[in-house]
């Protein structure tokens, strides 16, 4: 493809995604029924996990992206453990068209954070006296519509 005078069009600056910082914003682990909750059980507990993503534009081309992971394990009507983690980071994103920013911020950025959040939760559950909880891979592309919907608190990037 040429620009009309036989030469190829000039390419603009390459898109850039830089991690400026990553951090635990908030974390809680509870084992309210210990030591009774640590005794061997006949059947596996019911485990529920909820994952959400939020983002805020903090400065020009900078976005704070927060991956929130909430989980609990119950055996019958007894809570065995629960945890809440908000793992966040600051990204600088340059040379990306405005229409491509929301999926980049809400899909690709949390995909980078997920292994760190998984390790924090697995370690906390293990340190709480249970086998480590290994969260499986997540498809953040399927969370994208829910996290961008009205009233979700997802924080749409501009």
């Amino acid at each position: 493809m040429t620009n009309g005078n036989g030469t190829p069009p000039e390419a603009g600056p390459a898109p850039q995604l830089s991690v400026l910082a990553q951090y635990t914003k908030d974390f809680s682990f509870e084992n309210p029924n210990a030591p009774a909750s640590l005794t061997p059980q006949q059947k596996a507990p019911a485990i529920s996990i909820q994952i959400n993503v939020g983002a805020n534009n903090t400065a020009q081309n900078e976005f704070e992206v927060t991956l929130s992971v909430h989980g609990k394990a119950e055996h019958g009507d007894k809570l065995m453990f629960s945890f809440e983690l908000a793992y966040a980071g600051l990204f600088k994103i340059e040379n990306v068209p405005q229409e491509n920013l929301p999926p980049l911020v809400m899909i690709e950025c949390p995909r980078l954070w997920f292994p760190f959040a998984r390790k924090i939760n697995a370690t906390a559950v293990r340190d709480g006296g249970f086998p480590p909880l290994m969260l499986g891979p997540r498809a953040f592309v399927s969370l994208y519509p829910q996290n961008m919907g009205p009233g979700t608190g997802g924080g749409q990037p501009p």
Side-chain angles (χ1 to χ4, degrees):
M1 183 169 163
T2 64
N3 64 7
N5 63 6
T7 62
E10 289 186 37
Q16 293 184 351
L17 173 69
S18 304
V19 176
L20 302 177
Q22 66 185 74
Y23 42 91
T24 299
K25 280 188 85 152
D26 189 24
F27 182 69
S28 170
F29 178 85
E30 296 179 21
N31 186 355
N33 293 305
S37 61
L38 302 174
T39 60
Q41 305 294 323
Q42 293 285 354
K43 65 179 206 176
I47 296 176
S48 62
I49 306 291
Q50 181 181 16
I51 298 175
N52 289 302
V53 178
N56 295 304
N57 189 207
T58 58
Q60 184 176 353
N61 300 324
E62 290 183 11
F63 298 88
E64 180 188 52
V65 178
T66 304
L67 178 60
S68 298
V69 184
H70 303 266
K72 64 181 177 179
E74 297 174 300
H75 192 267
D77 62 348
K78 294 279 188 188
L79 180 65
M80 296 179 74
F81 65 81
S82 67
F83 61 83
E84 294 183 19
L85 171 66
Y87 195 79
L90 194 59
F91 290 90
K92 185 168 190 168
I93 301 173
E94 298 179 293
N95 308 319
V96 172
Q98 187 68 27
E99 66 272 10
N100 294 344
L101 272 177
L104 179 63
V105 168
M106 300 298 284
I107 297 171
E108 294 306 319
C109 293
R111 188 185 324 240
L112 292 172
W113 284 170
F114 187 71
F116 298 99
R118 177 176 42 215
K119 183 175 189 276
I120 291 168
N121 287 324
T123 301
V125 170
R126 184 199 65 214
D127 290 350
F130 302 95
L133 178 63
M134 297 308 296
L135 301 175
R138 294 293 188 241
F140 289 99
V141 72
S142 66
L143 288 174
Y144 178 67
Q146 130 189 351
N147 284 320
M148 294 302 287
T152 62
Q156 296 184 24

